[in-house]
Amino acid sequence: MNPTDEQTAAADAFHTGDHLALQAGAGTGKTTTLALLARTTTRRGRYLAYNRAIARDATARFPRNVLCKTAHALAYAAVGHRYTRRLGAPRRPAWQTGQALGITKALRIGEREVTQKALSNATLRTVTRFCHTADEAITRHHVPRLRGLEDTDMHAQLAAHIVPFARKAWADLQHPDDGAVRFDHDHYLKIWALTQPRIDADFLLLDEAQDTNPVVEQIFLAQRDHAQLVMVGDSAQAIYHWRGAKDVMTGFDGTHLTLSQSFRFGPALAAEANRWLHLADAPIRLTGAPAVPTELGPVAQPDAVLCRTNVGAMAQVMLLMAAGHRVALAGGGDSLHALALAARDLKEGRRTHHPELILFPCWGDLQDYATHDPAGRDLQPLVNLVDTHGTDAILTAVALLAPEPHAQITVSTVHKAKGREWPCVLIADDFVRAQDENSDRQANDTTPPHPIDDAEARLAYVAVTRTRQRLDIGGLSWIEDHPNGNPLPVAAVR
């Protein structure tokens, strides 16, 4: 294919040697563009891939002067190989690791008893959260907020207890041969980052820059004095902030260009995408490919059903199975299986080790929390699902999931669907907009509804751009009646 004017402009900017940030919308050929840049030079480059599968694919597409690796692969070659004896060690319960670190007693905070198992779990999660940051030491803000202890003062008490054990765990992880804490790949990445590494290359290409962990951002930006930095991503697809990812695109010091011509879908779908880009206040609008006749309308037999939450995905799986379909769940059913087992434990009067539910002594306590505590409202769909179907039915459905190649329909959360596409897509009904506080107003009340949250708009944008042929916006159809739901024409934002 001949490069577009935008791709040519990117190649020209790359030749100047300036640092470059490419805002690349859904389906605009970002990896193709990076490969185009790499083929225009004989300089030595590195392509930092989001995961191993992308790195393998990129190796086949990029010229030999560019090495395609994940940040973890670079870290393993530098320091990770020293910890080979500890990598892949047998899994052990968190409470045993906590015991080895000296966590032997429960802690009472307010009306909650934080068990030894919960404290051990929180300690290991603290270390994991630290490893994803650019911070030099573990502090209280790395300690996760536990369900039921969201209050600032309660979290401060928890953090004061956890931080010394987390620091002891991090010290344990520095030993190459043996230790109490199970060593994993994020540990050697963080150890490498703390050495302030220098990557030997003339230019670096960073993919999926909108979802970069701060630790990878730190490593990448530290190379700018000796290497040309090129990042590509889509700020409107930054949907992983909840797990510590950071959009490094918007504040990047360099030349900013865009790729707005989508090759995945046609003009009708581009208009739908632009509606959500407008609501997310994104720095880009898309143009659809005239030769791709993407349609919007009802889809009776979708290839994929996209959900907002894991619980919503489980509800869809059960609904589709009941209708006789062979169903796959993107990413597999492990997380839902774990949630169902946790719910069963609570219903039978046992505490669970599941990190989301670990502080609740029984199912009734979780029901009350989900119903009456504002911090627990997102657990209400789980409570409803379990109370409606029972844990055995959920576990049975997970066991009956088909592999994707053999399924008629794939169910996925939008987070798992990111980077993927299907011919026909249906948006599930768990995207239905939460009722505004003033939703019961009279028909003649002109009070405007609440504005649409940027994060929700970005999630919707990712959802609607996963299709090639036909999209049923289903659970997002409420946008048609929202006063902010009509996007500006493409020409007006350029």
Side-chain angles (χ1 to χ4, degrees), residues 76 79-92 97 100-101 124 127 168-185 187-188 191:
Y76 183 83
V79 301
H81 64 277
R82 302 172 193 163
Y83 297 85
T84 303
R85 291 183 61 178
R86 292 189 65 173
L87 278 168
R91 294 186 179 276
R92 61 190 304 196
T97 302
L101 293 171
L124 297 181
V127 174
K168 187 175 180 180
W170 182 243
D172 173 273
L173 288 165
Q174 308 311 302
H175 302 295
D177 296 323
D178 195 21
V181 183
R182 188 172 189 267
F183 195 95
D184 70 27
H185 299 280
H187 296 145
Y188 65 71
I191 290 170

Side-chain angles (χ1 to χ4, degrees), residues 305-363:
V305 178
L306 303 187
C307 307
R308 187 183 181 281
T309 65
N310 282 318
V311 174
M314 190 67 247
Q316 283 294 321
V317 165
M318 299 183 74
L319 185 68
L320 291 166
M321 283 184 174
H325 296 289
R326 290 193 310 277
V327 184
L329 184 64
D334 288 352
S335 62
L336 291 170
H337 185 265
L339 265 177
L341 289 178
R344 187 169 70 181
D345 283 343
L346 292 177
K347 286 178 74 69
E348 294 178 355
R350 296 188 300 272
R351 283 187 177 270
T352 174
H353 300 163
H354 195 287
E356 281 293 295
L357 310 178
I358 199 167
L359 290 188
F360 299 100
C362 64
W363 184 249

Side-chain angles (χ1 to χ4, degrees), residues 38 40 70 84 136 184 186 233 246 319 324 327 334 356 386 390 398 404 418 440 483:
T40 63
T70 63
T84 303
E136 294 185 359
D184 70 27
D186 283 346
K246 179 181 177 183
L319 185 68
V327 184
D334 288 352
E356 281 293 295
V386 171
V398 170
E404 283 198 52
K418 192 165 170 292
D440 294 330

Side-chain angles (χ1 to χ4, degrees), residues 208 328 357 493:
E208 298 289 352
L357 310 178
V493 295

